[in-house]
């Protein structure tokens, strides 16, 4: 089995059959649940919040990777921990005191990650990298599932991979947006460790197989 981690994005699940879809992920080769929280300010869409995450947590047998697309995420870190977040990622663009916010996530008992929008250079991470369990590079403009993968992501992954390796760190690189078997393969070859996939998994006739395909791709 590969060491690539797969995180199906619940945003693309059938919310009227959420328990069924969660159990599908439990029974698949996926590693985490990817949970997208949107506030209608930082991104032009609103998704779901604490009560839904709490409900997901009741059935999920795998860690919750909570991607906060909200302004000033520092206001809600403890709340997300309480409803079951295991990993919390915050956007560099959404919090002024990123260092403090990452410490807050760790103090709450979660693993801490930073997310970069497509237009934010990976070089902004130079000094903060040792504080990051993971860096999530957006490969679309955040806010909606089902968008097309942006090709500049490949170069961004390579740059970040080099920064991490040069410093001897084990920070994970996660990619979110437009991931499928073809883009996933190229991302893994470029140095990504974690693939988020929403519509590719839940829109597939056989989601279990779609997950297995991503999980078992060769480097
Ligand atoms: C979008 C979210 C993504 C989304 C990905 O802002 O962060 O996690 O669910 O969806 P797909 O895989 O369909 O591009
Ligand atoms: Zn996401």
């Amino acid at each position: 089995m590969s060491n690539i981690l797969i995180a199906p994005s619940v945003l693309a699940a059938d919310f009227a059959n959420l328990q069924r879809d969660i159990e599908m992920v439990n029974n698949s080769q996926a590693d985490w649940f990817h949970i997208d929280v949107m506030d209608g300010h930082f991104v032009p869409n609103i998704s779901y919040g604490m009560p839904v995450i709490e409900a997901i947590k009741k059935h999920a047998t795998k860690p919750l990777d909570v991607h906060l697309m909200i302004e000033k995420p520092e206001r809600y870190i403890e709340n997300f921990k309480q409803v079951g977040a295991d990993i919390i990622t915050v956007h560099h663009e959404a919090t002024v005191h990123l260092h403090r916010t990452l410490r807050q996530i760790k103090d709450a008992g979660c693993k801490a990650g930073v997310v970069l929008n497509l237009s934010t250079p990976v070089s902004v991470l130079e000094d903060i990298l040792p504080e990051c369990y993971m860096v999530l590079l957006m490969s679309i403009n955040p806010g909606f599932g089902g968008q097309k993968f942006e090709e500049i992501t490949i170069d961004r992954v390579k740059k970040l991979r080099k920064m991490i390796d040069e410093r001897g760190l084990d920070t994970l690189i996660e990619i979110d947006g437009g991931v499928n078997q073809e883009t996933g393969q190229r991302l893994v070859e470029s140095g990504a460790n974690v693939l988020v996939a929403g519509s590719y998994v839940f829109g597939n006739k056989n989601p279990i197989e779609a997950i297995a395909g991503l999980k078992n791709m060769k480097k």
Side-chain angles (χ1 to χ4, degrees):
M1 198 181 283
S2 78
N3 50 4
I4 303 303
L5 302 177
I6 307 302
S9 174
V10 175
L11 192 64
D14 177 354
F15 292 141
N17 288 289
L18 201 45
Q19 185 176 350
R20 180 200 68 191
D21 284 1
I22 290 163
E23 275 161 11
M24 180 282 289
V25 176
N26 286 342
N27 294 324
S28 76
Q29 291 183 54
D31 297 277
W32 300 340
F33 286 84
H34 184 81
I35 309 283
D36 290 301
V37 180
M38 304 178 184
D39 67 355
H41 286 276
F42 181 69
V43 289
N45 195 11
I46 299 176
S47 57
Y48 48 74
M50 283 79 172
V52 173
I53 299 174
E54 203 169 15
I56 294 170
K57 188 71 176 180
K58 276 194 197 136
H59 301 287
T61 58
K62 300 175 180 183
L64 304 191
D65 166 31
V66 177
H67 173 194
L68 298 183
M69 284 162 274
I70 65 177
E71 297 280 1
K72 299 190 175 65
E74 59 273 14
R75 295 171 296 160
Y76 295 108
I77 301 303
E78 285 73 22
N79 305 66
F80 285 109
K81 165 66 186 175
Q82 271 166 23
V83 294
D86 296 283
I87 303 155
I88 297 179
T89 61
V90 294
H91 273 258
H92 175 270
E93 305 86 3
T95 183
V96 174
H97 298 287
L98 178 61
H99 186 277
R100 179 186 285 152
T101 307
L102 293 177
R103 286 280 167 89
Q104 196 187 344
I105 296 171
K106 287 185 247 185
D107 288 347
C110 296
K111 291 184 169 139
V114 178
V115 193
L116 298 187
N117 280 337
L118 282 160
S119 59
T120 304
V122 296
S123 58
V124 297
L125 298 169
E126 263 172 30
D127 298 330
I128 198 75
L129 213 42
E131 295 286 332
C132 304
Y133 167 71
M134 179 163 82
V135 174
L136 167 49
L137 295 181
M138 292 309 304
S139 39
I140 52 165
N141 285 302
F144 302 91
Q147 302 182 73
K148 190 176 167 294
F149 179 81
E150 295 288 343
E151 283 299 328
I152 57 166
T153 307
I154 297 291
D155 265 358
R156 289 165 60 73
V157 174
K158 289 180 185 165
K159 268 188 214 158
L160 181 57
R161 169 52 54 211
K162 194 161 174 270
M163 280 172 66
I164 292 170
D165 290 351
E166 275 171 4
R167 288 164 179 74
L169 297 169
D170 54 6
T171 313
L172 297 172
I173 303 179
E174 180 178 49
I175 309 297
D176 186 5
V179 171
N180 55 34
Q181 193 70 28
E182 187 270 322
T183 55
Q185 181 69 50
R186 290 189 290 128
L187 287 164
V188 168
E189 282 164 10
S190 307
N193 309 102
V194 187
L195 300 177
V196 174
S199 45
Y200 181 65
V201 166
F202 290 99
N204 206 292
K205 257 193 244 130
N206 192 334
I208 296 263
E209 260 177 31
I211 293 168
L214 293 172
K215 181 72 185 171
N216 297 302
M217 68 174 96
K218 305 269 176 292
K219 238 191 190 174

